[in-house]
Amino acid sequence: MKILVVDDEPDVRLLFEQRFRREIRSGEFEFSFSYSGEEALTFLRDHPSEVVLILSDINMPGMSGLELLRHVKTDPLPPPPPLVMMLTAYGDTATHDQAMQLGANDFLIKPVDFAALKQKLQTIATT
Amino acid sequence: MNDDARHWKDLALYWKTHANWDLLIAAGFGMLLAILVRSLLDRPRHLPRARAWLLGLWVPAVVGFGLTAALHYQNPLFAKWYQLFTYGVVAAVLWRVRHYRPAATMLWAIALPALFRGLDVGQKTLGIHFIGAVDGYVKVVSKISAPLLFGLYGVAMYQKQSLAKEQVRRAEEERQRQLTAARNAELERLVTERTATLTQQASELQTALAELRTTQQQLIQSEKMASLGELTAGIAHEIQNPLNFVNNFADVSTELVVELEAEQASPTPDLSLEAELLADLRHNLTKINQHGQRAASIVRGMLAHSRQSTGERQPTELNALADEYLRLAYHGLRAKDKTFNATLKTDFAALLPLVSVVPGDLGRVLLNLFTNAFYAVQKRQQCGVAGYVPTVSVATRRDGDEVEIRVRDNGTGIPEAVQAKIFQPFFTTKPSGEGTGLGLSLAHDIVVQGHGGTLTVESQEGEFTEFAVRLPFRAAG
């Protein structure tokens, strides 16, 4: 399962690669990383129909995670449409409701509980 | 009748030859002189007792006339002696007041007639006769003595009048002098009064100034605290992020250690995997340290920001300072308005030298500029123009002896009329309660007075605003 992680913090890549080292080694998950919303959209266009799930931060300079979500949900992207999971430090209800309204498939609050995240990812992968 | 007439005629002739009539004439002359002198000395202050002497001059003449008439004794010398006596009395009176110039002149006026009378009396009494030539002189003197007397009397009267005028003038002068003195005293009093008032006012102003200074200090401090309040959410976010990394890398390192132990306990250990795990562990520890440092530096910055400035300069990396405060300002605004987003651009000059500044103070300047920039782009974004991308950028560069930091936004811009006022204290365009109006004023003070630099603005309404901080470059020692 191909997962695109979008976050402006470069160290997120290192963290995911270590947290999911076994899953990556076994080929269960395949991670790609973008450091901004714009970069993520470009990646999606360059790699059509590959990404199953997008894990996106909300607070990013330039295009925010919510804008990326709106693009993903409304732009004519090649099928199948990827699932979008939001990850944010600002876990207030306003942001949550906005994300849900825009069609987010899940809403996680930082700091990330990697055990729970792994569970969710595996559930998605097996269905 | 004829007899009668002859009788009276004989009687008259008798009396004419048997009484010293010339004594009465001399008395008249003496009284004339006395009156002249009196009019000259009219003021009693000159010699009050002389009045009695002068007014009584006629007495000896009349008594002498009466006595000699009764005795039927006639002698022309009596009149001459009496004349000499009147000169003597008048001269004595005048001598007493000789310091009075008209009196002295009068003394001279009677000197010649008195001398002549003296010579005459002496001659007649002693029966001496001058030789012809001297007698001629004496006769000439006797002829001019009377006009001389009256002439000099005239001079004396003139002197008296001019003295009187002089006295009036002096009196007037004295009056003026006293008037001036009084006026001076009044002026002196007024000046003293005014000086006292001014001194009091000066001390009141001094007190007011001291109070204003204290208030200013308090305002500066509350402005710092206000800007810190704006930052709180940004700071929390900025600290939360590195803390998450520290926790995550620590957790994942524990997993790595567990895996490593399992590998070591295995009968067939994979040495290359072990080496990889160890390398990852080392890498993670570095990351934990990095993010820990990042959080610490934010806390340090926050403390430096709220502290009263110690004013101590230290070599500072302006790029790092600008980056830190750009993020703080951005997240501060994001915390308040979650829909807000902006593109941040940084264009930091590589190899920018360390600049000697007070980091807390300069940080406050940058924070203020960034906060304003974000405020401006947010305002423009709220106007709802399609395709608008809010952008705030910061650039640094070295320009000769100066280092320049430019903070630019594509927000609402500042109208030209307002540009002139933005560095004035308490000037703000924000709604009341949102801004103290001290931010840019303090920023200007910090840059110009605190660091000897310049803070300038360039803006076009509806297009952009760019602030430029220029600091004189000082090589860090």
Short mmCIF file of all heavy atoms in Angstrom, two decimals, chain A residues 8-9 11-12 14-15 18-19 21-22 25 38 58-64 67 89-90 92 94-95 98 110-112 114, chain B residues 237 240-241 244-245 248-249 251-252 255-256 259 273 276-277 280 283-284 287 291 294 327 330-331 334 338 341-344:
data_model
loop_
_atom_site.label_atom_id
_atom_site.label_comp_id
_atom_site.label_asym_id
_atom_site.label_seq_id
_atom_site.Cartn_x
_atom_site.Cartn_y
_atom_site.Cartn_z
N ASP A 8 5.71 19.74 6.62
CA ASP A 8 6.82 20.66 6.34
C ASP A 8 8.06 20.37 7.18
O ASP A 8 9.11 20.96 6.97
CB ASP A 8 6.37 22.12 6.54
CG ASP A 8 5.85 22.39 7.93
OD1 ASP A 8 5.28 21.45 8.53
OD2 ASP A 8 6.00 23.52 8.42
N GLU A 9 7.93 19.45 8.16
CA GLU A 9 9.09 19.09 8.97
C GLU A 9 9.84 17.93 8.30
O GLU A 9 9.30 16.83 8.21
CB GLU A 9 8.64 18.64 10.37
CG GLU A 9 8.09 19.77 11.22
CD GLU A 9 9.17 20.50 11.98
OE1 GLU A 9 10.38 20.19 11.78
OE2 GLU A 9 8.82 21.39 12.77
N ASP A 11 12.16 16.01 9.32
CA ASP A 11 12.47 14.87 10.17
C ASP A 11 11.34 13.86 10.28
O ASP A 11 11.54 12.75 10.77
CB ASP A 11 12.87 15.35 11.57
CG ASP A 11 14.30 15.86 11.58
OD1 ASP A 11 15.01 15.65 10.56
OD2 ASP A 11 14.71 16.48 12.58
N VAL A 12 10.16 14.26 9.80
CA VAL A 12 9.02 13.35 9.80
C VAL A 12 9.34 12.09 8.98
O VAL A 12 8.98 10.97 9.35
CB VAL A 12 7.77 14.06 9.24
CG1 VAL A 12 6.68 13.06 8.87
CG2 VAL A 12 7.24 15.06 10.26
N LEU A 14 12.26 10.61 8.54
CA LEU A 14 13.12 9.73 9.33
C LEU A 14 12.30 8.95 10.36
O LEU A 14 12.47 7.73 10.53
CB LEU A 14 14.16 10.61 10.03
CG LEU A 14 15.45 9.95 10.47
CD1 LEU A 14 16.24 9.49 9.24
CD2 LEU A 14 16.26 10.93 11.28
N LEU A 15 11.40 9.71 10.98
CA LEU A 15 10.57 9.11 12.02
C LEU A 15 9.69 7.98 11.45
O LEU A 15 9.66 6.87 11.99
CB LEU A 15 9.69 10.21 12.61
CG LEU A 15 9.07 9.94 13.97
CD1 LEU A 15 10.16 9.69 15.00
CD2 LEU A 15 8.21 11.13 14.38
N GLN A 18 11.62 4.87 10.47
CA GLN A 18 12.03 4.00 11.59
C GLN A 18 10.86 3.34 12.26
O GLN A 18 10.91 2.17 12.66
CB GLN A 18 12.82 4.84 12.59
CG GLN A 18 14.18 5.23 12.04
CD GLN A 18 15.11 5.69 13.12
OE1 GLN A 18 14.84 5.53 14.31
NE2 GLN A 18 16.23 6.26 12.70
N ARG A 19 9.75 4.11 12.41
CA ARG A 19 8.56 3.55 13.05
C ARG A 19 7.99 2.37 12.25
O ARG A 19 7.50 1.40 12.81
CB ARG A 19 7.49 4.64 13.18
CG ARG A 19 7.74 5.63 14.29
CD ARG A 19 7.48 5.00 15.65
NE ARG A 19 7.47 6.00 16.70
CZ ARG A 19 7.29 5.74 17.97
NH1 ARG A 19 7.14 4.48 18.36
NH2 ARG A 19 7.30 6.69 18.87
N ARG A 21 9.76 0.54 10.04
CA ARG A 21 10.88 -0.14 9.36
C ARG A 21 10.53 -1.57 8.95
O ARG A 21 10.84 -2.00 7.85
CB ARG A 21 12.14 -0.10 10.23
CG ARG A 21 11.94 -0.70 11.60
CD ARG A 21 13.15 -0.43 12.52
NE ARG A 21 14.36 -1.02 11.96
CZ ARG A 21 15.43 -0.30 11.64
NH1 ARG A 21 15.41 1.01 11.79
NH2 ARG A 21 16.49 -0.88 11.15
N ARG A 22 9.84 -2.31 9.86
CA ARG A 22 9.50 -3.71 9.53
C ARG A 22 8.50 -3.78 8.38
O ARG A 22 8.66 -4.56 7.46
CB ARG A 22 8.92 -4.41 10.76
CG ARG A 22 9.99 -4.75 11.76
CD ARG A 22 9.44 -5.61 12.87
NE ARG A 22 10.39 -5.61 13.98
CZ ARG A 22 10.05 -5.62 15.23
NH1 ARG A 22 8.76 -5.61 15.57
NH2 ARG A 22 10.97 -5.64 16.18
N ARG A 25 10.26 -2.90 5.25
CA ARG A 25 11.13 -4.00 4.80
C ARG A 25 10.32 -5.15 4.21
O ARG A 25 10.67 -5.74 3.21
CB ARG A 25 11.96 -4.49 5.99
CG ARG A 25 13.45 -4.51 5.68
CD ARG A 25 14.23 -5.13 6.82
NE ARG A 25 14.19 -4.27 8.02
CZ ARG A 25 14.49 -4.71 9.24
NH1 ARG A 25 14.81 -5.97 9.44
NH2 ARG A 25 14.44 -3.90 10.27
N GLU A 38 1.68 21.96 -2.14
CA GLU A 38 1.93 22.09 -3.58
C GLU A 38 2.71 20.89 -4.11
O GLU A 38 2.35 20.29 -5.15
CB GLU A 38 2.70 23.37 -3.88
CG GLU A 38 1.94 24.66 -3.62
CD GLU A 38 2.04 25.17 -2.19
OE1 GLU A 38 2.43 24.36 -1.30
OE2 GLU A 38 1.74 26.34 -1.95
N ILE A 58 -1.73 19.83 8.78
CA ILE A 58 -2.58 20.95 8.38
C ILE A 58 -1.79 22.26 8.31
O ILE A 58 -1.86 23.01 7.34
CB ILE A 58 -3.79 21.09 9.32
CG1 ILE A 58 -4.74 19.89 9.11
CG2 ILE A 58 -4.54 22.39 9.03
CD1 ILE A 58 -5.99 19.93 9.96
N ASN A 59 -1.05 22.54 9.36
CA ASN A 59 -0.31 23.80 9.42
C ASN A 59 0.99 23.75 8.65
O ASN A 59 1.99 23.23 9.13
CB ASN A 59 0.01 24.15 10.87
CG ASN A 59 -1.25 24.33 11.67
OD1 ASN A 59 -2.13 25.10 11.30
ND2 ASN A 59 -1.37 23.57 12.74
N MET A 60 0.92 24.27 7.46
CA MET A 60 2.14 24.30 6.64
C MET A 60 2.19 25.66 5.94
O MET A 60 1.16 26.20 5.58
CB MET A 60 2.12 23.19 5.58
CG MET A 60 2.28 21.81 6.15
SD MET A 60 2.26 20.56 4.85
CE MET A 60 0.60 20.67 4.30
N PRO A 61 3.38 26.18 5.76
CA PRO A 61 3.49 27.42 4.99
C PRO A 61 2.97 27.19 3.58
O PRO A 61 3.08 26.09 3.05
CB PRO A 61 4.99 27.71 4.97
CG PRO A 61 5.58 26.89 6.06
CD PRO A 61 4.69 25.69 6.22
N GLY A 62 2.38 28.21 3.00
CA GLY A 62 1.83 28.07 1.65
C GLY A 62 0.50 27.32 1.72
O GLY A 62 -0.33 27.62 2.56
N MET A 63 0.36 26.33 0.85
CA MET A 63 -0.89 25.59 0.83
C MET A 63 -1.02 24.77 2.11
O MET A 63 -0.12 24.02 2.47
CB MET A 63 -0.93 24.65 -0.39
CG MET A 63 -2.24 23.91 -0.53
SD MET A 63 -2.18 22.70 -1.85
CE MET A 63 -2.23 23.76 -3.27
N SER A 64 -2.14 24.95 2.78
CA SER A 64 -2.33 24.23 4.04
C SER A 64 -2.87 22.82 3.73
O SER A 64 -3.28 22.53 2.61
CB SER A 64 -3.30 24.98 4.93
OG SER A 64 -4.63 24.81 4.44
N GLU A 67 -6.42 22.83 2.42
CA GLU A 67 -6.51 23.17 0.99
C GLU A 67 -6.14 21.97 0.13
O GLU A 67 -6.78 21.69 -0.89
CB GLU A 67 -5.57 24.33 0.67
CG GLU A 67 -6.21 25.70 0.88
CD GLU A 67 -5.22 26.79 0.63
OE1 GLU A 67 -5.02 27.15 -0.56
OE2 GLU A 67 -4.61 27.26 1.62
N ALA A 89 -1.53 19.50 15.07
CA ALA A 89 -1.27 19.84 16.47
C ALA A 89 -2.44 20.62 17.05
O ALA A 89 -2.59 20.74 18.25
CB ALA A 89 0.03 20.65 16.60
N TYR A 90 -3.21 21.24 16.13
CA TYR A 90 -4.36 22.03 16.60
C TYR A 90 -5.61 21.18 16.53
O TYR A 90 -6.28 21.12 15.51
CB TYR A 90 -4.53 23.28 15.73
CG TYR A 90 -3.34 24.21 15.80
CD1 TYR A 90 -2.50 24.40 14.72
CD2 TYR A 90 -3.09 24.92 16.98
CE1 TYR A 90 -1.43 25.26 14.79
CE2 TYR A 90 -2.02 25.78 17.07
CZ TYR A 90 -1.18 25.95 15.96
OH TYR A 90 -0.13 26.79 16.04
N ASP A 92 -8.56 21.44 17.69
CA ASP A 92 -9.83 22.07 18.09
C ASP A 92 -10.98 21.59 17.19
O ASP A 92 -10.77 21.16 16.05
CB ASP A 92 -9.70 23.59 18.06
CG ASP A 92 -9.25 24.06 16.70
OD1 ASP A 92 -8.08 23.74 16.31
OD2 ASP A 92 -10.03 24.73 16.02
N ALA A 94 -13.26 23.25 15.63
CA ALA A 94 -13.49 24.03 14.41
C ALA A 94 -12.69 23.42 13.25
O ALA A 94 -13.22 23.18 12.17
CB ALA A 94 -13.09 25.48 14.63
N THR A 95 -11.42 23.14 13.53
CA THR A 95 -10.56 22.56 12.50
C THR A 95 -11.07 21.16 12.13
O THR A 95 -11.11 20.80 10.95
CB THR A 95 -9.09 22.49 12.99
OG1 THR A 95 -8.76 23.73 13.60
CG2 THR A 95 -8.14 22.18 11.87
N GLN A 98 -14.16 21.35 10.05
CA GLN A 98 -13.83 21.84 8.71
C GLN A 98 -13.24 20.72 7.87
O GLN A 98 -13.60 20.54 6.69
CB GLN A 98 -12.84 23.01 8.82
CG GLN A 98 -12.90 23.95 7.62
CD GLN A 98 -11.83 25.03 7.70
OE1 GLN A 98 -11.15 25.14 8.72
NE2 GLN A 98 -11.69 25.79 6.65
N LYS A 110 -1.68 15.39 16.79
CA LYS A 110 -0.28 15.23 17.18
C LYS A 110 -0.17 15.47 18.67
O LYS A 110 -0.89 16.32 19.20
CB LYS A 110 0.59 16.26 16.44
CG LYS A 110 0.82 15.95 14.97
CD LYS A 110 1.75 17.04 14.40
CE LYS A 110 2.00 16.79 12.91
NZ LYS A 110 2.85 17.85 12.33
N PRO A 111 0.75 14.88 19.42
CA PRO A 111 1.71 13.89 18.92
C PRO A 111 1.03 12.57 18.50
O PRO A 111 0.09 12.12 19.16
CB PRO A 111 2.63 13.68 20.13
CG PRO A 111 1.84 14.12 21.32
CD PRO A 111 0.91 15.16 20.85
N VAL A 112 1.56 12.02 17.43
CA VAL A 112 0.94 10.84 16.82
C VAL A 112 1.16 9.59 17.69
O VAL A 112 2.26 9.35 18.17
CB VAL A 112 1.54 10.60 15.41
CG1 VAL A 112 0.94 9.35 14.79
CG2 VAL A 112 1.31 11.81 14.54
N PHE A 114 1.73 6.21 17.30
CA PHE A 114 2.12 5.38 16.14
C PHE A 114 1.51 3.98 16.19
O PHE A 114 1.21 3.39 15.16
CB PHE A 114 3.65 5.32 16.01
CG PHE A 114 4.20 6.50 15.28
CD1 PHE A 114 4.61 7.64 15.97
CD2 PHE A 114 4.27 6.49 13.89
CE1 PHE A 114 5.09 8.73 15.29
CE2 PHE A 114 4.76 7.60 13.22
CZ PHE A 114 5.18 8.73 13.91
N HIS B 237 3.11 26.10 20.07
CA HIS B 237 3.21 25.25 18.89
C HIS B 237 4.66 24.96 18.55
O HIS B 237 5.04 23.84 18.25
CB HIS B 237 2.53 25.96 17.71
CG HIS B 237 2.58 25.18 16.44
ND1 HIS B 237 3.57 25.37 15.50
CD2 HIS B 237 1.77 24.19 15.96
CE1 HIS B 237 3.36 24.55 14.48
NE2 HIS B 237 2.26 23.82 14.74
N GLN B 240 5.91 22.55 21.06
CA GLN B 240 5.25 21.25 20.94
C GLN B 240 5.90 20.40 19.83
O GLN B 240 6.16 19.22 20.02
CB GLN B 240 3.76 21.45 20.62
CG GLN B 240 2.94 20.17 20.60
CD GLN B 240 2.91 19.51 21.98
OE1 GLN B 240 2.62 20.17 22.98
NE2 GLN B 240 3.25 18.23 22.05
N ASN B 241 6.20 21.02 18.72
CA ASN B 241 6.78 20.29 17.59
C ASN B 241 8.09 19.60 17.94
O ASN B 241 8.19 18.39 17.79
CB ASN B 241 6.99 21.25 16.41
CG ASN B 241 5.92 21.06 15.36
OD1 ASN B 241 5.21 20.05 15.38
ND2 ASN B 241 5.80 22.01 14.47
N ASN B 244 7.52 16.75 20.37
CA ASN B 244 6.98 15.55 19.73
C ASN B 244 8.10 14.73 19.10
O ASN B 244 8.13 13.49 19.23
CB ASN B 244 5.98 15.92 18.63
CG ASN B 244 4.68 16.41 19.23
OD1 ASN B 244 4.43 16.22 20.42
ND2 ASN B 244 3.86 17.05 18.40
N PHE B 245 9.02 15.44 18.45
CA PHE B 245 10.14 14.72 17.82
C PHE B 245 11.00 14.04 18.87
O PHE B 245 11.41 12.89 18.70
CB PHE B 245 10.99 15.67 16.97
CG PHE B 245 10.41 15.88 15.60
CD1 PHE B 245 9.87 17.10 15.23
CD2 PHE B 245 10.42 14.84 14.68
CE1 PHE B 245 9.33 17.28 13.97
CE2 PHE B 245 9.88 15.01 13.42
CZ PHE B 245 9.34 16.24 13.06
N ASN B 248 9.11 11.03 20.07
CA ASN B 248 9.03 10.00 19.04
C ASN B 248 10.36 9.31 18.78
O ASN B 248 10.43 8.08 18.68
CB ASN B 248 8.51 10.59 17.73
CG ASN B 248 6.99 10.70 17.75
OD1 ASN B 248 6.31 9.78 18.20
ND2 ASN B 248 6.48 11.82 17.29
N PHE B 249 11.41 10.11 18.69
CA PHE B 249 12.73 9.51 18.46
C PHE B 249 13.18 8.69 19.66
O PHE B 249 13.85 7.67 19.52
CB PHE B 249 13.78 10.59 18.11
CG PHE B 249 13.72 11.00 16.66
CD1 PHE B 249 13.40 12.30 16.29
CD2 PHE B 249 13.99 10.07 15.64
CE1 PHE B 249 13.34 12.67 14.96
CE2 PHE B 249 13.93 10.45 14.30
CZ PHE B 249 13.60 11.74 13.97
N ASP B 251 11.09 7.07 21.70
CA ASP B 251 10.29 5.83 21.61
C ASP B 251 10.87 4.86 20.59
O ASP B 251 11.07 3.68 20.86
CB ASP B 251 8.85 6.19 21.18
CG ASP B 251 8.03 6.66 22.36
OD1 ASP B 251 8.57 6.60 23.49
OD2 ASP B 251 6.89 7.12 22.15
N VAL B 252 11.12 5.40 19.40
CA VAL B 252 11.57 4.54 18.31
C VAL B 252 12.96 3.97 18.63
O VAL B 252 13.28 2.85 18.27
CB VAL B 252 11.53 5.31 16.97
CG1 VAL B 252 12.81 6.05 16.68
CG2 VAL B 252 11.19 4.36 15.82
N GLU B 255 12.51 0.97 20.72
CA GLU B 255 12.19 -0.17 19.84
C GLU B 255 13.46 -0.72 19.19
O GLU B 255 13.65 -1.94 19.12
CB GLU B 255 11.22 0.27 18.74
CG GLU B 255 9.80 0.50 19.22
CD GLU B 255 8.91 1.07 18.11
OE1 GLU B 255 9.30 0.96 16.92
OE2 GLU B 255 7.85 1.63 18.43
N LEU B 256 14.30 0.19 18.75
CA LEU B 256 15.55 -0.24 18.09
C LEU B 256 16.43 -1.03 19.06
O LEU B 256 17.03 -2.05 18.69
CB LEU B 256 16.32 0.97 17.56
CG LEU B 256 15.68 1.75 16.40
CD1 LEU B 256 16.60 2.90 15.97
CD2 LEU B 256 15.43 0.83 15.21
N GLU B 259 15.05 -4.44 19.50
CA GLU B 259 15.36 -5.23 18.30
C GLU B 259 16.82 -5.67 18.29
O GLU B 259 17.15 -6.80 17.94
CB GLU B 259 15.07 -4.38 17.06
CG GLU B 259 14.73 -5.22 15.83
CD GLU B 259 14.28 -4.35 14.66
OE1 GLU B 259 13.54 -3.34 14.96
OE2 GLU B 259 14.65 -4.62 13.53
N LEU B 273 22.71 -6.10 10.11
CA LEU B 273 21.51 -5.50 10.70
C LEU B 273 21.86 -4.80 12.02
O LEU B 273 21.41 -3.68 12.31
CB LEU B 273 20.44 -6.56 10.93
CG LEU B 273 19.11 -6.04 11.52
CD1 LEU B 273 18.42 -5.10 10.52
CD2 LEU B 273 18.18 -7.18 11.89
N GLU B 276 23.42 -1.54 11.31
CA GLU B 276 22.41 -0.58 10.82
C GLU B 276 21.60 -0.02 11.98
O GLU B 276 21.35 1.19 12.06
CB GLU B 276 21.50 -1.31 9.82
CG GLU B 276 20.62 -0.38 9.02
CD GLU B 276 19.57 -1.16 8.23
OE1 GLU B 276 19.91 -2.21 7.67
OE2 GLU B 276 18.41 -0.69 8.20
N LEU B 277 21.22 -0.95 12.90
CA LEU B 277 20.44 -0.51 14.06
C LEU B 277 21.24 0.48 14.91
O LEU B 277 20.72 1.51 15.38
CB LEU B 277 20.04 -1.72 14.92
CG LEU B 277 18.95 -2.62 14.31
CD1 LEU B 277 18.80 -3.91 15.14
CD2 LEU B 277 17.63 -1.88 14.24
N ASP B 280 21.35 3.80 13.22
CA ASP B 280 20.07 4.51 13.40
C ASP B 280 19.95 5.10 14.81
O ASP B 280 19.48 6.22 15.00
CB ASP B 280 18.89 3.56 13.15
CG ASP B 280 18.65 3.34 11.65
OD1 ASP B 280 19.28 4.08 10.86
OD2 ASP B 280 17.86 2.46 11.28
N HIS B 283 21.99 8.12 15.08
CA HIS B 283 21.32 9.18 14.33
C HIS B 283 20.15 9.76 15.15
O HIS B 283 19.97 10.97 15.24
CB HIS B 283 20.81 8.59 13.01
CG HIS B 283 20.50 9.64 11.99
ND1 HIS B 283 20.13 9.35 10.70
CD2 HIS B 283 20.51 10.98 12.07
CE1 HIS B 283 19.93 10.48 10.05
NE2 HIS B 283 20.16 11.49 10.87
N ASN B 284 19.38 8.87 15.76
CA ASN B 284 18.22 9.30 16.54
C ASN B 284 18.63 10.16 17.73
O ASN B 284 17.98 11.15 18.06
CB ASN B 284 17.42 8.09 17.04
CG ASN B 284 16.65 7.43 15.91
OD1 ASN B 284 16.68 7.92 14.78
ND2 ASN B 284 15.99 6.31 16.21
N LYS B 287 19.23 13.47 16.59
CA LYS B 287 17.96 14.17 16.34
C LYS B 287 17.30 14.62 17.65
O LYS B 287 16.77 15.73 17.74
CB LYS B 287 16.99 13.26 15.57
CG LYS B 287 17.37 13.09 14.13
CD LYS B 287 17.09 14.38 13.36
CE LYS B 287 17.82 14.36 12.03
NZ LYS B 287 17.85 15.70 11.43
N HIS B 291 16.42 18.52 18.43
CA HIS B 291 15.08 19.05 18.70
C HIS B 291 14.97 19.58 20.13
O HIS B 291 14.25 20.55 20.40
CB HIS B 291 14.01 17.99 18.41
CG HIS B 291 13.81 17.79 16.93
ND1 HIS B 291 13.11 18.66 16.16
CD2 HIS B 291 14.28 16.81 16.09
CE1 HIS B 291 13.13 18.25 14.90
NE2 HIS B 291 13.84 17.12 14.83
N ARG B 294 16.36 22.92 19.99
CA ARG B 294 15.42 23.82 19.32
C ARG B 294 14.38 24.35 20.33
O ARG B 294 14.12 25.55 20.42
CB ARG B 294 14.72 23.06 18.19
CG ARG B 294 14.00 23.94 17.21
CD ARG B 294 13.50 23.07 16.07
NE ARG B 294 12.11 23.34 15.76
CZ ARG B 294 11.36 22.55 15.02
NH1 ARG B 294 11.85 21.42 14.53
NH2 ARG B 294 10.12 22.88 14.77
N ARG B 327 8.80 32.47 12.28
CA ARG B 327 7.97 31.30 12.62
C ARG B 327 7.07 31.61 13.81
O ARG B 327 5.89 31.27 13.82
CB ARG B 327 8.86 30.10 12.92
CG ARG B 327 9.68 29.67 11.72
CD ARG B 327 10.60 28.54 12.11
NE ARG B 327 9.85 27.32 12.37
CZ ARG B 327 9.52 26.43 11.43
NH1 ARG B 327 9.91 26.62 10.19
NH2 ARG B 327 8.85 25.36 11.73
N TYR B 330 4.26 33.83 12.74
CA TYR B 330 3.32 33.10 11.87
C TYR B 330 2.40 32.20 12.69
O TYR B 330 1.19 32.24 12.57
CB TYR B 330 4.11 32.28 10.84
CG TYR B 330 3.23 31.49 9.91
CD1 TYR B 330 2.34 32.13 9.05
CD2 TYR B 330 3.29 30.10 9.90
CE1 TYR B 330 1.53 31.39 8.20
CE2 TYR B 330 2.49 29.35 9.05
CZ TYR B 330 1.61 30.01 8.20
OH TYR B 330 0.81 29.29 7.36
N HIS B 331 3.03 31.41 13.56
CA HIS B 331 2.22 30.48 14.34
C HIS B 331 1.37 31.21 15.36
O HIS B 331 0.29 30.73 15.72
CB HIS B 331 3.12 29.44 15.00
CG HIS B 331 3.69 28.49 13.99
ND1 HIS B 331 2.89 27.65 13.24
CD2 HIS B 331 4.97 28.28 13.57
CE1 HIS B 331 3.65 26.95 12.40
NE2 HIS B 331 4.92 27.32 12.58
N ARG B 334 -1.57 32.14 13.37
CA ARG B 334 -2.29 30.91 13.02
C ARG B 334 -3.11 30.41 14.19
O ARG B 334 -4.20 29.87 14.03
CB ARG B 334 -1.28 29.82 12.63
CG ARG B 334 -0.68 29.99 11.26
CD ARG B 334 -1.74 29.88 10.20
NE ARG B 334 -2.46 28.61 10.34
CZ ARG B 334 -2.15 27.52 9.68
NH1 ARG B 334 -1.19 27.53 8.80
NH2 ARG B 334 -2.82 26.40 9.88
N LYS B 338 -7.40 30.14 12.50
CA LYS B 338 -6.95 28.85 11.97
C LYS B 338 -7.11 28.74 10.47
O LYS B 338 -6.49 27.90 9.82
CB LYS B 338 -7.68 27.73 12.68
CG LYS B 338 -7.29 27.77 14.12
CD LYS B 338 -7.83 26.68 14.94
CE LYS B 338 -7.35 26.89 16.35
NZ LYS B 338 -7.89 28.15 16.96
N ASN B 341 -3.51 31.38 6.25
CA ASN B 341 -2.35 30.71 5.68
C ASN B 341 -1.55 31.72 4.90
O ASN B 341 -2.11 32.62 4.30
CB ASN B 341 -2.82 29.62 4.72
CG ASN B 341 -2.32 28.29 5.19
OD1 ASN B 341 -1.12 28.03 5.10
ND2 ASN B 341 -3.22 27.49 5.69
N ALA B 342 -0.26 31.56 4.93
CA ALA B 342 0.55 32.47 4.14
C ALA B 342 1.78 31.74 3.65
O ALA B 342 2.22 30.76 4.26
CB ALA B 342 0.96 33.67 4.97
N THR B 343 2.28 32.21 2.54
CA THR B 343 3.53 31.66 2.03
C THR B 343 4.68 32.44 2.67
O THR B 343 4.67 33.68 2.65
CB THR B 343 3.60 31.80 0.51
OG1 THR B 343 2.49 31.11 -0.04
CG2 THR B 343 4.89 31.22 -0.05
N LEU B 344 5.59 31.72 3.27
CA LEU B 344 6.74 32.38 3.88
C LEU B 344 7.93 32.19 2.96
O LEU B 344 8.22 31.09 2.53
CB LEU B 344 7.06 31.76 5.25
CG LEU B 344 5.91 31.66 6.25
CD1 LEU B 344 6.44 31.10 7.56
CD2 LEU B 344 5.28 33.01 6.49
#
